[in-house]
Amino acid sequence: MRTRHIVQPIEETLKHPGFEERNKLYEAEAKARVPGVIQRALDDAELLTTDIDVIIYVSCTGFMMPSLTAWLINEMGFDSTTRQLPIAQLGCAAGGAAINRAHDFCTAYPEANALIVACEFCSLCYQPTDIGVGSLLWNGLFGDGIAAAVVRGRGGEGVSLERNGSYLIPKTEEWIMYDVKATGFHFLLDKRVPATMEPLAPALKDLAGEHGWDASDLDFYIVHAGGPRILDDLSTFLHVDPHAFRFSRATLTEYGNIASAVVLDALRRLFDEGGPEHRARGLLAGFGPGITAEMALGRWHRADETM
Amino acid sequence: MRTRHIVQPIEETLKHPGFEERNKLYEAEAKARVPGVIQRALDDAELLTTDIDVIIYVSCTGFMMPSLTAWLINEMGFDSTTRQLPIAQLGCAAGGAAINRAHDFCTAYPEANALIVACEFCSLCYQPTDIGVGSLLWNGLFGDGIAAAVVRGRGGEGVSLERNGSYLIPKTEEWIMYDVKATGFHFLLDKRVPATMEPLAPALKDLAGEHGWDASDLDFYIVHAGGPRILDDLSTFLHVDPHAFRFSRATLTEYGNIASAVVLDALRRLFDEGGPEHRARGLLAGFGPGITAEMALGRWHRADETM
């Protein structure tokens, strides 16, 4: 990790002003920063707010009811009939889950467009009194980030989603979790988590197999794993060249682990590289609490190719 | 409201042992009570846990990450590939949202089955120091309840879902909300909320109109509104006989406002009454923070009728 972005100066971040104040900061920072990120995603997709049918907002580092979706609809002029799907409890897997639920929605309604937003201010969950190994890892790895993307029922450029799936490693629901206290969300990380790529790799292979693909032999990989060593493990167990995970690695290096936003930022890097060739086959995946993998398979679609 | 069920004795409920302890109680009570409710829903649908493709778990009265879905998959033997969709931020509208997202999922995958669970322990959000009018209303109206139902892609008996929609009343995102503090979730209710059936009735009419139906002239209504007077208002603005809301009214009378679970309990009462005739047209709706309405239209399907 070379650099990280955090919403407050480091001296403020290291203080704990209380859960109430933290959560007010979450709301204020989200309102200040999210609309601009959404606007860029809409502009890139050449869509207006009124073209969006569902907003899937994933965030595990602050809690608001109603979700920010209600404010966004009012503030940015989305239609009053826009569906709201806020997800707060899938942690780092939520970026993948957002893509997958958007894919489901557009499968049900092929004329629809889904907006995905991942907003994570991990620094607002820093707990100065937590000095266990898992907490020290969290503090060292995590960063703040916001990402947004549009999943279109038809058209556009990028990954044409073909199949998605979820996998829960049995009996691991306590390995990545929040302890919820008066001081807010306390991140607990079991020391067995770094070894989970071994049981998760077969789940990726199974999903690819159901699709007639070989997970070890795809053209691109957009994966969110917690840190660079876990990516190395995945490349070992999946028999994939570590270079394939360069997008995820670059996100971790430049921003730290920005939780559910990693997978969307890594995907942006694939776009920035010019994207693979038309109909290149790829895998998207995020891993998080549960321990849950949210996985998707798709082909790259270039807008300059005819359908 | 004649009776209410609460998870603890009243003297314990009126104490506040702290957010951490409250949330541990939420988890313990949910683990003790939810599996039995799910099992009855599966038995009624004549399905096994392994027939379920997605679990949509809605709850706004406790916060766990991972969601209870991970524990349920392990504990009850759902497939490891079951999708998890936990929603914590739609409050009382979440029962309708769960039905609608299950409908979307089964529209995308007609062979799939979705399990919906609503688990609300409103008594664990009782805040002894909140003595505003909204809080007193909350304390007087709310109860604890759990409900579960299955939405099948094909077959079964009950509402065959045909269309769903969402509507946000503009600029009302602060009218029903949680103030998140060290003491947990504090429910805030604006005094303008009871008057919201006037702007919501046209949204119900619009959705029905898009479907070629008249919202004032349907065969059954399963609606969750916060209290009996709001139901009276809805019957006025929708031009529907108050008797049509007898299921919702019975739930409120016997259990209090059990938040996202109301719509599922009211639907159970329609089943218990024997159900309407085959192909009877109906409306399901829940209202909650946003202010959001989650609405669905469908026809009653009797299992003894051929398709």
Side-chain angles (χ1 to χ4, degrees):
Chain A
M1 318 269 153
R2 280 206 314 264
T3 55
R4 283 191 300 168
H5 299 267
I6 50 180
V7 292
Q8 300 181 97
I10 186 73
E11 58 272 26
E12 293 300 319
T13 301
L14 296 177
K15 291 177 192 165
H16 193 318
F19 187 38
E20 182 173 0
E21 185 64 24
R22 280 267 178 92
N23 217 60
K24 285 196 192 334
L25 272 167
Y26 170 90
E27 181 177 339
E29 295 291 344
K31 287 181 174 178
R33 296 166 191 266
V34 169
V37 177
I38 290 177
Q39 194 57 58
R40 285 206 299 280
L42 292 171
D43 291 346
D44 285 348
E46 298 179 351
L47 292 174
L48 303 173
T49 51
T50 48
D51 295 318
I52 298 298
D53 300 279
V54 59
I55 303 175
I56 304 176
Y57 180 88
V58 298
S59 181
C60 66
T61 49
F63 190 81
M64 295 168 62
M65 191 180 86
S67 153
L68 195 73
T69 49
W71 180 86
L72 287 168
I73 289 171
N74 288 322
E75 185 70 16
M76 296 189 69
F78 291 93
D79 278 345
S80 287
T81 55
T82 308
R83 273 88 155 182
Q84 303 169 58
L85 181 52
I87 303 177
Q89 296 160 272
L90 291 174
C92 292
I99 291 169
N100 292 347
R101 300 296 76 79
H103 174 214
D104 296 343
F105 191 84
C106 292
T107 301
Y109 310 106
E111 305 297 330
N113 298 305
L115 173 69
I116 296 170
V117 186
C119 175
E120 302 290 13
F121 302 141
C122 301
S123 68
L124 296 180
C125 291
Y126 170 69
Q127 298 290 355
T129 55
D130 290 355
I131 52 168
V133 174
S135 305
L136 295 177
L137 272 171
W138 158 286
N139 299 339
L141 292 173
F142 282 81
D144 296 349
I146 302 167
V150 173
V151 176
R152 306 175 63 125
R154 299 193 198 282
E157 172 148 4
V159 183
S160 176
L161 297 162
E162 296 189 0
R163 177 184 291 265
N164 74 63
S166 185
Y167 180 75
L168 179 83
I169 308 177
K171 304 290 178 192
T172 57
E173 80 261 15
E174 294 181 344
W175 291 20
I176 302 175
M177 65 179 290
Y178 274 161
D179 203 1
V180 178
K181 302 189 184 191
T183 39
F185 304 141
H186 291 245
F187 183 72
L188 301 179
L189 185 67
D190 190 281
K191 63 178 186 296
R192 291 167 288 188
V193 169
T196 47
M197 290 304 112
E198 188 165 5
L200 284 174
L204 296 166
K205 289 179 185 173
D206 285 351
L207 188 78
E210 289 169 21
H211 205 55
W213 292 4
D214 175 359
S216 304
D217 183 33
L218 298 176
D219 304 307
F220 62 91
Y221 295 83
I222 301 295
V223 170
H224 169 48
R229 285 198 192 168
I230 300 184
L231 285 174
D232 290 343
D233 270 6
L234 185 60
S235 98
T236 301
F237 292 113
L238 212 54
H239 306 291
V240 167
D241 188 300
H243 184 67
F245 299 133
R246 63 193 175 280
F247 312 110
S248 313
R249 210 175 296 269
T251 299
L252 291 172
T253 301
E254 290 179 26
Y255 296 146
N257 180 345
I258 49 175
S260 63
V262 170
V263 68
L264 298 177
D265 184 73
L267 183 59
R268 189 260 305 168
R269 292 167 193 273
L270 176 59
F271 271 97
D272 289 352
E273 209 186 68
E277 62 183 20
H278 189 60
R279 294 187 58 74
R281 296 160 310 147
L283 168 76
L284 290 81
F287 310 114
I291 287 174
T292 305
E294 283 284 342
M295 311 167 286
L297 300 170
R299 288 181 191 268
W300 195 264
H301 184 84
R302 301 192 76 94
D304 48 10
E305 299 280 341
T306 52
M307 289 292 283
Chain B
M1 318 267 153
R2 281 205 312 264
T3 55
R4 282 192 299 168
H5 299 267
I6 51 179
V7 291
Q8 298 181 97
I10 186 73
E11 58 271 25
E12 293 301 319
T13 300
L14 296 176
K15 292 176 190 166
H16 193 319
F19 187 38
E20 182 175 358
E21 185 63 26
R22 281 266 179 91
N23 218 60
K24 285 196 195 330
L25 271 168
Y26 171 89
E27 181 178 338
E29 295 290 344
K31 287 182 174 178
R33 296 165 191 267
V34 169
V37 177
I38 289 177
Q39 193 57 57
R40 285 206 300 280
L42 292 171
D43 291 347
D44 285 349
E46 299 179 351
L47 291 175
L48 302 173
T49 50
T50 47
D51 295 318
I52 297 298
D53 299 280
V54 59
I55 303 175
I56 303 176
Y57 179 88
V58 298
S59 180
C60 66
T61 50
F63 189 81
M64 295 167 62
M65 191 179 86
S67 152
L68 196 72
T69 49
W71 181 84
L72 287 169
I73 289 171
N74 288 321
E75 186 70 15
M76 295 189 68
F78 291 93
D79 278 344
S80 287
T81 54
T82 308
R83 271 88 156 184
Q84 303 168 58
L85 182 52
I87 303 177
Q89 296 159 273
L90 291 174
C92 292
I99 291 168
N100 292 347
R101 299 297 76 78
H103 175 214
D104 297 343
F105 191 84
C106 291
T107 301
Y109 311 105
E111 306 296 331
N113 299 306
L115 173 69
I116 296 170
V117 186
C119 174
E120 301 291 13
F121 302 139
C122 301
S123 68
L124 296 180
C125 290
Y126 170 70
Q127 299 288 355
T129 55
D130 290 356
I131 52 168
V133 173
S135 306
L136 295 177
L137 271 170
W138 157 286
N139 300 338
L141 291 173
F142 282 82
D144 296 349
I146 301 166
V150 173
V151 175
R152 306 175 63 126
R154 298 192 198 283
E157 172 148 6
V159 183
S160 176
L161 297 162
E162 296 189 1
R163 179 183 291 264
N164 73 63
S166 184
Y167 180 75
L168 179 83
I169 308 178
K171 304 288 177 192
T172 57
E173 80 261 15
E174 294 179 346
W175 290 20
I176 303 176
M177 65 179 291
Y178 274 161
D179 203 0
V180 178
K181 301 189 184 192
T183 39
F185 303 142
H186 291 245
F187 183 72
L188 302 179
L189 186 69
D190 190 281
K191 64 179 187 295
R192 290 166 288 187
V193 169
T196 47
M197 290 303 113
E198 188 165 5
L200 284 173
L204 296 167
K205 289 179 184 172
D206 285 351
L207 188 79
E210 289 170 22
H211 204 56
W213 293 3
D214 176 358
S216 305
D217 182 32
L218 298 177
D219 304 306
F220 62 91
Y221 294 83
I222 300 295
V223 170
H224 169 49
R229 286 198 192 169
I230 300 184
L231 285 175
D232 290 343
D233 270 5
L234 185 61
S235 97
T236 302
F237 292 113
L238 212 54
H239 307 290
V240 167
D241 189 300
H243 184 66
F245 299 133
R246 62 192 176 281
F247 311 110
S248 313
R249 210 175 296 269
T251 298
L252 291 172
T253 301
E254 290 180 27
Y255 296 147
N257 180 345
I258 49 174
S260 63
V262 170
V263 69
L264 297 178
D265 184 74
L267 182 59
R268 190 258 307 168
R269 293 167 192 273
L270 176 58
F271 271 97
D272 289 351
E273 208 186 70
E277 62 182 20
H278 190 62
R279 294 186 58 74
R281 297 161 309 146
L283 168 76
L284 290 81
F287 310 114
I291 286 174
T292 304
E294 283 284 342
M295 312 168 285
L297 300 170
R299 289 181 190 268
W300 195 264
H301 184 83
R302 302 192 76 95
D304 49 9
E305 299 280 341
T306 51
M307 289 292 282

